[in-house]
Amino acid sequence: MEDKVFVFTIGTAGSGKSYFTSSFSDYLDFKKIDHAIVNLDPGADFLPYEPDVDVREWITVDDVMEKYNVGPNGAQIVSADLIATKAEDILDELDLYSADYVLVDTPGQMELFTLRSSSEIIIQTFGRQNCVSVFLFDPVISQRASGFTSMVFMYSSAVMRLNIPQIPVLSKADLLPEHDVKRILTWSRDTDALYDDVSKEKGLSRDLFHLLREAGLIRPLIPVSAKTGEGMDDVYDIVQEIYYGGEDLE
Ligand code: GTP
């Protein structure tokens, strides 16, 4: 198991986690790199890929609603917590695959994973040193400087909670006009430009902004698109850099 790299896809609801997972898998197929896909979302109705290991084999939100007599929101929380109890079973199933990469699609609402202990247990079981996460910035929220800064706060909470390398990406880049993509990328690389624009909108506390900046939490984004395949090679290169010193597995 030590040889596998686990790439978690993290992001707010609807930010494109499942489609990113699917598109990254297509890219790895194209490169002929052995990989497996794990679905960790017990509430998923539809997935754009065929998971090799699916937590819904053991836990679904519908079953939890019935068994524990809870409503849909409570069932989301209970089932997201229960996935931790299946971490070893997931690893056992993954043993059947000779995969260099394991792509892990996480539950719809990011707080159900990042803020709860299930993420800690799963990362510990998989081996923290083998885990990396791709954090998806929602393109629509990121269009405004204040929205982009809010995404940085959410990214920061994932950095703090998961304690694994994070690759921040601008999701669904094909959806935005080119000048909007450019502006968002500029904010991610030039914190003065971001501070100027966010101040015009909201007057964010300078101290709070400096905290983000000084902690290195405003990081250059990689634009990606599951629709066009843009950026998959860049994400792959960064993961390779982190785990294999840039060596290509192709
Ligand atoms: P939940 O797990 O349900 O919260 O969603 P998610 O974060 O997994 O998002 P998902 O991948 O299901 O994508 C949500 C919607 O965005 C779908 O309707 C996709 O068709 C669309 N989408 C995802 N990625 C892209 C992309 O790169 N480009 C475009 N244009 N649409 C995308």
Side-chain angles (χ1 to χ4, degrees), residues 42-43 45 59-68 70 72 75 79:
D45 287 330
I59 302 154
T60 68
V61 169
D62 287 345
D63 287 349
V64 167
M65 275 173 72
E66 210 175 296
K67 189 167 171 200
Y68 296 89
V70 285
S79 50

Side-chain angles (χ1 to χ4, degrees), residues 27-185:
Y27 174 78
L28 295 177
D29 275 339
F30 170 73
K31 300 243 328 162
K32 297 190 172 49
I33 291 172
D34 285 339
H35 64 281
I37 307 184
V38 176
N39 170 47
L40 277 191
D41 185 354
D45 287 330
F46 164 80
L47 294 173
Y49 55 81
E50 190 68 48
D52 298 296
V53 184
D54 191 342
V55 78
R56 293 175 302 176
E57 271 181 48
W58 300 285
I59 302 154
T60 68
V61 169
D62 287 345
D63 287 349
V64 167
M65 275 173 72
E66 210 175 296
K67 189 167 171 200
Y68 296 89
N69 198 22
V70 285
N73 290 335
Q76 290 275 4
I77 295 170
V78 173
S79 50
D81 286 350
L82 285 175
I83 63 177
T85 63
K86 299 298 164 196
E88 292 287 355
D89 297 286
I90 292 169
L91 273 191
D92 286 347
E93 285 207 13
L94 282 171
D95 270 341
L96 302 174
Y97 297 86
S98 66
D100 299 308
Y101 271 72
V102 179
L103 311 186
V104 187
D105 190 11
T106 62
Q109 295 163 34
M110 75 171 257
E111 71 272 23
L112 290 178
F113 186 67
T114 52
L115 298 189
R116 305 191 70 85
S117 51
S118 55
S119 58
E120 179 57 26
I121 294 167
I122 284 169
I123 286 171
Q124 251 177 31
T125 309
F126 290 1
R128 185 175 303 283
Q129 71 285 0
N130 303 325
C131 295
V132 60
S133 150
V134 175
F135 185 95
L136 278 64
F137 276 57
D138 182 285
V140 176
I141 298 171
S142 302
Q143 264 174 313
R144 290 167 63 92
S146 55
F148 176 85
T149 309
S150 305
M151 291 301 315
V152 173
F153 279 111
M154 301 197 82
Y155 166 77
S156 307
S157 96
V159 168
M160 200 173 75
R161 287 288 298 185
L162 300 182
N163 194 20
I164 57 177
Q166 301 268 341
I167 304 171
V169 304
L170 175 63
S171 181
K172 309 185 203 177
D174 65 280
L175 274 184
L176 298 178
E178 209 179 312
H179 58 87
D180 277 6
V181 172
K182 270 194 184 146
R183 195 178 56 241
I184 295 167
L185 297 184

Side-chain angles (χ1 to χ4, degrees), residues 12-19 41 108 172 174-175 225-227:
T12 49
S15 57
K17 298 179 289 293
S18 301
Y19 277 84
D41 185 354
K172 309 185 203 177
D174 65 280
L175 274 184
S225 165
K227 201 170 168 189

Side-chain angles (χ1 to χ4, degrees), residues 148 152 187-189 191 194 209 212-213 216-220:
F148 176 85
V152 173
W187 287 333
S188 78
R189 290 176 184 138
T191 51
L194 175 61
F209 190 84
L212 287 179
R213 175 156 52 194
L217 290 164
I218 306 172
R219 299 253 319 277

